[in-house]
Amino acid sequence: MKIAVIPARGGSKRIPRKNIRSFCGTPIIAYSINAACDSGLFDEVIVSTDDEEIAGVARKFGATTPFVRPKEISDDFTGTNAVVKHAVGWFIEQGNDVSHACCIYATAPLIRTRYLREGYDALTGSDAAFAFSITSYAFPIQRAVRLTSEGRVEALHPEHRITRSQDLEPVFHDAGQFYWGTARAFLNDVPVFSPRSIGIVLPRVLVQDIDTLEDWEQAEFMFRAVRGD
């Protein structure tokens, strides 16, 4: 059995009701649910939440909410791995043989099914524990600078001050969309950010972290541009 787990607690603070806020006319969580359902990869697409309003929206768009997320994993400090581990454990307790799970963030409106499939194929075609979305930095991080207390510029990597950008190694970061893993890896708390993970490279035009209202507006601009509005 393969499950998609979309974490969506009700207590978001920086953007209130973030997980069901309207994004280009649709509750933002719906994009993640639709991508998971449309991919054809999952036996069940669930939303793990402690909030009945979020659960209702999730069911409206085709996800299931088979349990209420426990309070001890619904606070500001609980990582998504713990949420997926709980979901996998719950399904196993119900007698299901879970082989793989995929954590999909509720605020990933730019997600595409092709990359979900690519992640699954990469994971199952290897001995890796995880496969998750990454994207490249737009500017070489080896040329990064810091500001001193006097407001002066100081190179973080002085050895690359005059290195041509095309001669620098490309560097990537977490794209914050999806995290495929074996059920065993989630249950055993295997670190996601380790050599046991495969990176699925997304184009930067499909990646936008959404933590502030400014991020939200930027993501809507990107969404409309990609969609062609």
Side-chain angles (χ1 to χ4, degrees):
M1 182 181 191
K2 300 186 294 293
I3 61 172
V5 182
I6 302 174
R9 69 185 185 89
S12 54
K13 293 182 173 61
R14 285 178 290 188
I15 304 177
R17 311 305 289 165
K18 171 181 176 180
N19 293 315
I20 53 174
R21 181 186 173 97
S22 177
F23 183 95
C24 291
T26 301
I28 196 168
I29 195 173
Y31 298 100
S32 297
I33 294 171
N34 290 340
C37 292
D38 292 346
S39 73
L41 291 166
F42 303 104
D43 297 293
E44 190 148 3
V45 176
I46 75 162
V47 169
S48 174
T49 185
D50 59 336
D51 186 283
E52 182 51 41
E53 183 183 12
I54 292 175
V57 172
R59 291 190 294 267
K60 176 182 176 181
F61 285 95
T64 64
T65 54
F67 53 77
V68 176
R69 193 199 300 184
K71 289 183 179 180
E72 58 267 26
I73 56 170
S74 297
D75 58 27
D76 291 337
F77 306 102
T78 300
T80 52
N81 274 33
V83 176
V84 180
K85 179 179 180 179
H86 167 263
V88 170
W90 187 91
F91 273 93
I92 291 174
E93 288 174 2
Q94 306 309 306
N96 298 289
D97 182 15
V98 182
S99 60
H100 297 84
C102 185
C103 174
I104 302 176
Y105 281 169
T107 52
L110 296 166
I111 193 168
R112 296 291 184 271
T113 57
R114 62 168 286 194
Y115 296 110
L116 284 173
R117 295 191 190 101
E118 185 177 332
Y120 176 70
D121 290 342
L123 179 62
T124 56
S126 72
D127 62 352
F130 296 101
F132 68 92
S133 58
I134 63 174
T135 196
S136 61
Y137 282 94
F139 187 84
I141 64 171
Q142 299 91 334
R143 299 283 295 277
V145 298
R146 64 162 64 93
L147 283 177
T148 68
S149 58
E150 293 80 27
R152 303 299 180 92
V153 171
E154 185 177 86
L156 279 176
H157 302 281
E159 67 274 22
H160 291 302
R161 280 182 297 197
I162 60 173
T163 305
R164 298 186 309 166
S165 60
Q166 60 264 44
D167 294 331
L168 294 169
E169 177 188 2
V171 184
F172 302 83
H173 63 85
D174 180 8
Q177 286 194 4
F178 64 85
Y179 307 82
W180 271 107
T182 65
R184 180 175 305 223
F186 281 115
L187 291 172
N188 292 336
D189 297 315
V190 174
V192 174
F193 297 97
S194 78
R196 297 194 62 188
S197 294
I198 297 171
I200 306 302
V201 181
L202 274 55
R204 290 196 297 270
V205 72
L206 294 180
V207 178
Q208 174 61 47
D209 197 25
I210 303 178
D211 285 326
T212 66
L213 289 175
E214 183 179 7
D215 293 338
W216 191 284
E217 292 173 0
Q218 174 71 14
E220 287 190 315
F221 285 136
M222 293 169 66
F223 182 87
R224 293 189 181 104
V226 171
R227 193 172 60 178
D229 288 2

